[in-house]
Amino acid sequence: MARTITAIDIGSSKICTLIGEVTEPDVVRVIGIGVVPSRGVSHGVITDLEEATLAIGESIQKAERIAQMTVTRAYISAGGPHISSQNKSGSTSIGKGDRPIDREDLQRALDAAQTIPVSHNRQIIYCTAREYTLDEEAVTKNPLGLLGYTLLVDAHVITANATSISNLANCVRRNHVDIVEYVPQPIASATAVLSAEEMNDGVAVVDIGAETTSLSIYVLGTPFDTRVYPVGGTHFTNDMVVGLHTPIATAEEIKLRYGHLLPSAVPADEKIDVSTFGEQVISSIQRRFVAEIMGARMEDILDHFILRDIKRSGYDGLLAAGIVLTGGASLSPGMAEMVQSTLHLPARVALPRRLHGLTETISSPAYATAVGLLLHGMRRETVDRAIPVMEGNPSLLSRVIRLFRNILPK
Ligand SMILES: Nc1ncnc2c1ncn2[C@@H]1O[C@H](COP(=O)(O)OP(=O)(O)OP(=O)(O)O)[C@@H](O)[C@H]1O
Ligand SMILES: [Mg+2]
């Protein structure tokens, strides 16, 4: 029987469950999709346990119905501005240098890199090797099988607010689904949209969602910096509520129909009709004004967050593959041109990698995180061959509940 993998992206505007079937190593076929509007989630974190649990459950059930199976374990995206990252090293002794380095040695070195002081309200949710150094000189990405005395790993460690993660876990577990691994949202999105060449050449992925924007900087094939900011597509809409004096639903519609980030690209005489607050009147405004509002917000996101942190990383001017934009709000016309001219780097808007099976819905930048989660899970369970079950084995109670779910008619 083919192995199935489930990914659940809990976003601020939508929750997306994807069920994939691994048909052969490194090939995943989507057999179930469940997308529902988010409830109880704000800026990427759970703010209402009951509502979020229900919404996550609806998303899972939709996907289960299509895939005709019961989900028992899943890879979960961890988002929100509480996510932060650092690069740390850790070393392990191999012994007398007379035996080849094995996977356990790699894990011991990674464990050592994670022995960092973490305040009581933070926890490490993700750790990946960037490169290894053998006996203080030979630098390698893959030391397996080599001989050496000491192995040092340079690792990218991502931490999160411990209570935010516990709240997320509670919502998922209340739906009788065990968490295989938390994948930070910036890592999942990058996994979906980057080629191996871009990761090697140096690239920044910017996922602009509804209430958060994430940044991940990859150099030499691995993540160097990952961050999440509390701004997103909703801010463009809210700016228009204020600027055009229009209700939120109208502002969102105008953004989707007439939005643009480059005022100069919109004809000066183009007018659009807008219904305003209070009096039921329709006023005619210049579409260019909408572009000015949206352009100003995008400039702010780039200056205050993206450019600032690319500079802080020290890779300013060294990201040869430029900027890859994704997330629902990256669909605003003029996005790539604006980012390119502001940051003086090549920029493109990216769809998630094309998968097999039910891919029509997910062929949009808004699904980059969900697709990346599925790809990450597939690689963990086929290519890496080691399944890091962080949360321990399913409890007896959840196994019994699942047994009943399988027996009872849906
Ligand atoms: N064609 C479009 N033009 C402009 N904005 C768009 C378009 N389509 C979607 N959006 C915006 O994208 C945002 C939703 O993006 P996405 O689905 O990636 O968010 P999310 O993953 O739910 O949220 P987050 O990642 O912030 O937690 C909304 O603000 C929506 O208005
Ligand atoms: Mg998102």
Side-chain angles (χ1 to χ4, degrees), residues 284-338:
S284 182
I285 59 153
Q286 283 191 323
R287 186 181 168 204
R288 200 173 253 199
F289 185 45
V290 170
E292 279 165 6
I293 294 174
M294 291 181 67
R297 172 59 72 174
M298 192 60 208
E299 220 171 275
D300 190 66
I301 294 175
L302 291 175
D303 285 349
H304 283 97
F305 300 109
I306 310 298
L307 188 56
R308 180 197 68 181
D309 286 331
I310 289 177
K311 280 187 173 155
R312 273 187 193 167
S313 76
Y315 280 98
D316 185 27
L318 297 172
L319 301 176
I323 310 285
V324 176
L325 296 141
T326 196
S330 72
L331 286 165
S332 294
M335 179 61 80
E337 296 89 323
M338 180 177 184

Side-chain angles (χ1 to χ4, degrees), residues 14 207-210 233 255-256 326-332 335 364-368:
K14 60 164 193 339
D207 180 317
I208 315 173
K255 180 181 81 173
L256 298 183
T326 196
S330 72
L331 286 165
S332 294
M335 179 61 80
S364 156
Y367 293 92

Side-chain angles (χ1 to χ4, degrees), residues 49-51 53-54 168-177:
L49 192 75
E50 289 301 326
E51 282 299 317
T53 301
L54 287 172
L168 185 64
N170 284 341
C171 292
V172 174
R173 292 207 193 101
R174 281 167 140 218
N175 284 292
H176 317 299
V177 170

Side-chain angles (χ1 to χ4, degrees), residues 11-15 36-39 41 209-211:
S12 308
S13 73
K14 60 164 193 339
I15 296 169
V36 300
S38 271
R39 304 197 306 273
V41 182
E211 295 183 3

Side-chain angles (χ1 to χ4, degrees), residues 172-374:
V172 174
R173 292 207 193 101
R174 281 167 140 218
N175 284 292
H176 317 299
V177 170
D178 291 316
I179 297 164
V180 187
E181 189 181 353
Y182 300 106
V183 185
Q185 186 265 325
I187 297 282
S189 292
T191 304
V193 298
L194 292 184
S195 66
E197 289 76 29
E198 285 172 322
M199 286 185 186
N200 269 318
D201 294 348
V203 69
V205 178
V206 178
D207 180 317
I208 315 173
E211 295 183 3
T212 65
T213 292
S214 70
L215 170 71
S216 49
I217 297 176
Y218 277 71
V219 282
L220 301 172
T222 50
F224 179 82
D225 198 358
T226 41
R227 290 163 192 267
V228 182
Y229 312 108
V231 284
T234 307
H235 291 74
F236 293 93
T237 310
N238 292 344
D239 291 347
M240 276 194 283
V241 169
V242 177
L244 307 178
H245 306 290
T246 189
I248 201 155
T250 314
E252 177 75 12
E253 196 189 322
I254 292 170
K255 180 181 81 173
L256 298 183
R257 283 181 71 177
Y258 304 108
H260 209 294
L261 295 172
L262 298 171
S264 59
V266 175
D269 56 355
E270 190 177 340
K271 299 267 178 118
I272 54 174
D273 290 338
V274 178
S275 60
T276 50
F277 274 123
E279 318 123 53
Q280 296 291 309
V281 288
I282 306 284
S283 56
S284 182
I285 59 153
Q286 283 191 323
R287 186 181 168 204
R288 200 173 253 199
F289 185 45
V290 170
E292 279 165 6
I293 294 174
M294 291 181 67
R297 172 59 72 174
M298 192 60 208
E299 220 171 275
D300 190 66
I301 294 175
L302 291 175
D303 285 349
H304 283 97
F305 300 109
I306 310 298
L307 188 56
R308 180 197 68 181
D309 286 331
I310 289 177
K311 280 187 173 155
R312 273 187 193 167
S313 76
Y315 280 98
D316 185 27
L318 297 172
L319 301 176
I323 310 285
V324 176
L325 296 141
T326 196
S330 72
L331 286 165
S332 294
M335 179 61 80
E337 296 89 323
M338 180 177 184
V339 171
Q340 188 149 334
S341 66
T342 310
L343 304 188
H344 307 292
L345 283 167
R348 71 178 176 99
V349 173
L351 296 174
R353 185 153 335 139
R354 225 181 138 62
L355 303 179
H356 297 270
L358 308 171
T359 55
E360 206 179 316
T361 313
I362 56 175
S363 295
S364 156
Y367 293 92
T369 308
V371 169
L373 270 179
L374 199 63

